[in-house]
Amino acid sequence: MGKKSNPLTRDIDRASAYSIVKMLQVCDSQMFQKEAGTIYQRLLSDQVVKTLMEVAKRVEVIIKDPQESCVVMSGCGTSGRLAFLISSGFNKALSQLNQSEVYSYIIAGGDRALLSSQEAPEDDPRLGVLNLKKVCEGKKRVLFIGISCGLSAPFVAGQLDFCLQHPEVYTPVLVGFNPAHQARDEPIQDCTFTFHSVVQRMQELAKSQKAFLINPAVGPEAISGSSRMKGGSATKILLEAAFSAAHAATSSNTPITHNGVLQHMMAYERTLAVTYSQTDGITTLVEAAGQSLQCSRHVYYLGWGSLALLGLIDASECSPTFGADYEDVRGFIRGGYRELNNNDGPLTSLGPKFSIAHEDFLHLILPCLTDKDTVLLIYTHSDDATEVGNMARRVREKTPNLHAVYHQADGDTAASLQQDDIKKLCLSTLKITWPQEALVSGTLQHMRELSTKLVLNAVSTGAHVLKGKIYQNHMIDLQVTNTKLYRRATRLLQKLSACPEEKCEEALLKAIYRVDMLTLEMTSSDITTHTCFARNSTKVVPLALVILLTGWSLVEAESHLKQQPIVREAVAQWMW
Ligand code: S6P
């Protein structure tokens, strides 16, 4: 998944909002493509389902012995955010049954990374191990689930290596979306292992079920490397299928079966169909958000319950993915940190981007809201409709550019009366109706969450594409703040300029250090030093590309880029 660009979206940068949504639909449906014709496992492959069953059995044992054991999920960026979302949901489900919570999450960079981009800790395997030891203190049995979509994060590799060294306590599971042989083989500073070598050791142990690998192919991302999209969705699908089976086994004595796990996963396939059957509604949202971003205004997600979390997550990903400012797309959750219930509690003191409650929106944002901003209400029929209505009215006083994403259960007429009032206040309402059977099978929440994720990913991706942030299907203005991103930037420069690797890296360094002549100190520093320095530089990759294509000096390149900040146009102009 990591390095390939998806041929389906090669021209996404020049597509209309409607075509963008259609392309995303085709990309997402690749997740459920069957194995035929490929040698790689897919999401619904027998082997994947079998492994999920084994993992579910381990989780079942842990739920029955919560004092001495736990399930830990860990990842960087989106993978860590998904670890948080999933652990929150399943812990809540356990509490509702008066059972002890068994799930914990680790996100590289700590809780601040749930809401902001912290790319550097991804490179630190030791930090991963420290975090893991802390979470597992006193536990005798730990099911560790490391999530790295590209099988690449050193933070996770360190944790898996630690588990492999302590098999008496830890059983490692790896979730990712690359074939094992494509795991990253780049040396990790001060370590004897690479991600690839860890995967090889796990493959050996997997034969005796002492380790588990869950790595189906899901097809390349619509925007190259944007694993927040399919990577995140597939992570959610796989882990929820396994945990749901474990919960059903403990609470209602339903045995963990192949068919049970498969059926749960297929409910997500239906989720895609239900969601994308609303292409027109999603297109309207993409257009509205695109227009807001195009005129440097903002998009706000106001959500209730766990769906609000998906808004927070989607918004926080815009800055690392599109080089956006945190104010461009923002999420707010009813109940703020109380509802979030994260490890470290309220993070408000860390700065304005950590204000996430609806009250914060009312105090900080509402007074300056204009009709160029787009506001999205995200809620379900079980949320307090009076409250949603009040919020809608407050927003409506400032702007008509208010939209709703509303999930209702089939045949739920009681809720629809109040819903009508809200609908009248909104410019558009994306109404997603779920069949009653989803209510019964307990998959409703998971389906609504995935559906919301797909819609919001489409809105923020589509809006940034319309803003001109993408070239073909590559994000050019990516941050270069860890080794993965540094390598990606170099590859991208090679691809777009056709210059040799060495020259591309040289241009990249010039743009990072903002000089025309690199000093020996700069060229002899390691990648970590470069990526640390790059934290304070902007437009690094576009600048490097302009330098490569035109031979201009840094100052010249900077001034041209200022005149034409839309990277798509800028690049097109220099390339032909
Ligand atoms: C990707 C996102 C990143 C990744 C992170 C972890 O859209 O912006 O933050 O989630 O780099 O990647 P991986 O491959 O280890 O899951």
Side-chain angles (χ1 to χ4, degrees):
M1 115 165 319
K3 292 176 190 155
K4 270 184 252 140
S5 118
N6 198 325
L8 293 168
T9 53
R10 237 198 75 104
D11 295 320
I12 198 168
D13 59 339
R14 297 185 179 270
S16 65
Y18 180 82
S19 313
I20 292 173
V21 177
K22 279 287 176 204
M23 285 181 196
L24 296 181
Q25 174 176 12
V26 183
C27 275
D28 277 333
S29 63
Q30 286 180 330
M31 279 196 288
F32 290 97
Q33 243 168 39
K34 303 282 173 310
E35 237 164 310
T38 78
I39 46 165
Y40 301 128
Q41 301 170 33
R42 310 289 305 191
L43 215 54
L44 303 178
S45 297
D46 265 4
Q47 190 48 49
V48 172
V49 177
K50 274 193 190 128
T51 313
L52 290 177
M53 283 169 63
E54 283 311 316
V55 170
K57 286 180 195 159
R58 307 296 168 112
V59 176
E60 184 189 355
V61 175
I62 291 174
I63 295 175
K64 289 178 176 156
D65 173 28
Q67 256 61 52
E68 307 237 292
S69 46
C70 66
V71 179
V72 180
M73 281 169 273
S74 174
C76 312
T78 302
S79 297
R81 296 181 192 116
L82 263 304
F84 167 69
L85 176 80
I86 298 167
S87 73
S88 305
F90 282 90
N91 276 338
K92 236 181 230 166
L94 288 175
S95 315
Q96 279 161 5
L97 297 169
N98 281 327
Q99 284 182 298
S100 305
E101 301 186 345
V102 299
Y103 300 96
S104 315
Y105 69 91
I106 298 173
I107 178 162
D111 271 5
R112 65 168 66 218
L114 292 173
L115 303 167
S116 67
S117 151
Q118 308 289 329
E119 308 297 331
E122 183 168 324
D123 281 339
D124 193 341
R126 241 168 246 100
L127 184 66
V129 176
L130 280 177
N131 288 182
L132 179 60
K133 280 188 189 162
K134 197 168 158 224
V135 172
C136 301
E137 236 171 62
K139 298 288 178 194
K140 296 216 171 92
R141 189 188 292 126
V142 176
L143 186 67
F144 172 76
I145 303 178
I147 310 164
S148 181
C149 297
L151 304 190
S152 68
F155 183 89
V156 175
Q159 295 172 323
L160 291 169
D161 172 70
F162 178 78
C163 293
L164 292 170
Q165 287 180 42
H166 299 88
E168 64 294 349
V169 176
Y170 294 90
T171 306
V173 180
L174 170 60
V175 174
F177 304 99
N178 264 337
H181 69 271
Q182 278 180 25
R184 188 169 168 190
D185 209 12
E186 185 175 345
I188 304 174
Q189 217 175 9
D190 302 327
C191 288
T192 50
F193 54 84
T194 65
F195 208 111
H196 188 263
S197 74
V198 170
V199 171
Q200 280 182 327
R201 278 148 71 200
M202 284 186 68
Q203 277 181 309
E204 229 5 79
L205 288 174
K207 292 179 189 153
S208 53
Q209 305 202 322
K210 292 195 177 97
F212 300 96
L213 273 141
I214 309 174
N215 61 322
V218 291
E221 296 286 358
I223 304 298
S224 301
S226 186
S227 58
R228 75 187 194 109
M229 301 184 80
K230 281 198 276 193
S233 301
T235 300
K236 187 167 156 53
I237 293 169
L238 291 167
L239 293 181
E240 287 178 352
F243 298 167
S244 297
H247 282 225
T250 39
S251 64
S252 52
N253 275 329
T254 320
I256 296 168
T257 62
H258 195 279
N259 194 42
V261 174
L262 190 64
Q263 288 303 324
H264 195 95
M265 295 225 274
M266 286 167 70
Y268 295 100
E269 192 176 11
R270 288 197 295 281
T271 302
L272 257 63
V274 169
T275 308
Y276 282 112
S277 69
Q278 307 272 352
T279 307
D280 290 342
I282 305 175
T283 302
T284 306
L285 299 179
V286 170
E287 267 165 357
Q291 275 166 16
S292 292
L293 294 190
Q294 270 164 359
C295 58
S296 303
R297 292 303 306 180
H298 309 135
V299 180
Y300 299 107
Y301 303 147
L302 300 180
W304 276 258
S306 70
L307 301 190
L309 268 178
L310 292 147
L312 289 175
I313 292 175
D314 184 85
S316 70
E317 290 163 346
C318 290
S319 117
T321 312
F322 306 109
D325 193 272
Y326 84 90
E327 289 184 289
D328 292 352
V329 183
R330 281 189 76 168
F332 294 90
I333 180 168
R334 185 209 175 266
Y337 286 97
R338 193 167 18 90
E339 177 73 32
L340 201 66
N341 199 18
N342 53 315
N343 284 344
D344 300 345
L347 304 173
T348 338
S349 62
L350 295 179
K353 69 171 108 163
F354 295 92
S355 294
I356 55 165
H358 281 184
E359 288 76 20
D360 296 320
F361 172 81
L362 293 173
H363 294 145
L364 304 169
I365 310 290
L366 191 74
C368 323
L369 207 64
T370 75
D371 53 12
K372 298 233 160 32
D373 297 308
T374 301
V375 181
L376 249 70
L377 303 171
I378 305 156
Y379 64 105
T380 75
H381 67 277
S382 34
D383 293 311
D384 184 342
T386 316
E387 218 180 85
V388 181
N390 288 342
M391 181 59 96
R393 268 180 288 278
R394 298 284 299 270
V395 172
R396 196 65 177 72
E397 281 163 18
K398 288 286 194 175
T399 174
N401 203 359
L402 170 68
H403 305 260
V405 178
Y406 170 62
H407 295 264
Q408 71 165 20
D410 206 6
D412 195 358
T413 44
S416 60
L417 283 173
Q418 276 170 311
Q419 175 51 29
D420 279 349
D421 290 338
I422 301 170
K423 195 175 168 191
K424 280 183 205 136
L425 295 166
C426 293
L427 209 56
S428 82
T429 296
L430 181 64
K431 189 162 80 180
I432 305 181
T433 307
W434 298 102
Q436 284 289 344
E437 78 218 33
L439 268 171
V440 181
S441 66
T443 51
L444 181 63
Q445 163 136 331
H446 298 152
M447 294 170 83
R448 290 195 303 220
E449 286 177 2
L450 180 64
S451 172
T452 306
K453 179 179 184 295
L454 299 175
V455 170
L456 298 185
N457 284 172
V459 169
S460 57
T461 302
H464 280 100
V465 170
L466 294 174
K467 191 181 177 184
K469 283 287 190 173
I470 300 295
Y471 179 74
Q472 291 171 354
N473 52 10
H474 298 282
M475 173 60 201
I476 300 185
D477 195 3
L478 67 147
Q479 294 184 331
V480 194
T481 41
N482 66 30
T483 47
K484 175 175 84 174
L485 296 168
Y486 184 91
R487 296 278 182 231
R488 185 181 297 166
T490 315
R491 274 197 310 270
L492 190 56
L493 288 171
Q494 273 176 272
K495 180 173 171 157
L496 297 181
S497 72
C499 293
E501 183 179 350
E502 207 177 310
K503 243 187 130 208
C504 292
E505 209 168 331
E506 187 186 310
L508 186 64
L509 290 180
K510 284 182 183 173
I512 290 176
Y513 292 105
R514 291 297 208 260
V515 292
D516 275 317
M517 289 292 287
L518 293 168
T519 65
L520 186 64
E521 199 192 336
M522 291 168 189
T523 47
S524 56
S525 297
D526 56 18
I527 295 185
T528 316
T529 313
H530 303 325
T531 55
C532 272
F533 203 91
R535 246 185 264 175
N536 302 316
S537 333
T538 54
K539 298 253 172 215
V540 169
V541 186
L543 259 178
L545 185 61
V546 174
I547 292 173
L548 284 168
L549 291 175
T550 61
W552 285 337
S553 72
L554 188 95
V555 179
E556 284 170 325
E558 264 183 321
S559 93
H560 277 84
L561 210 54
K562 249 196 203 110
Q563 284 162 28
Q564 180 50 278
I566 298 181
V567 179
R568 179 216 297 187
E569 302 297 338
V571 175
Q573 186 178 321
W574 289 306
M575 286 191 69
W576 316 118

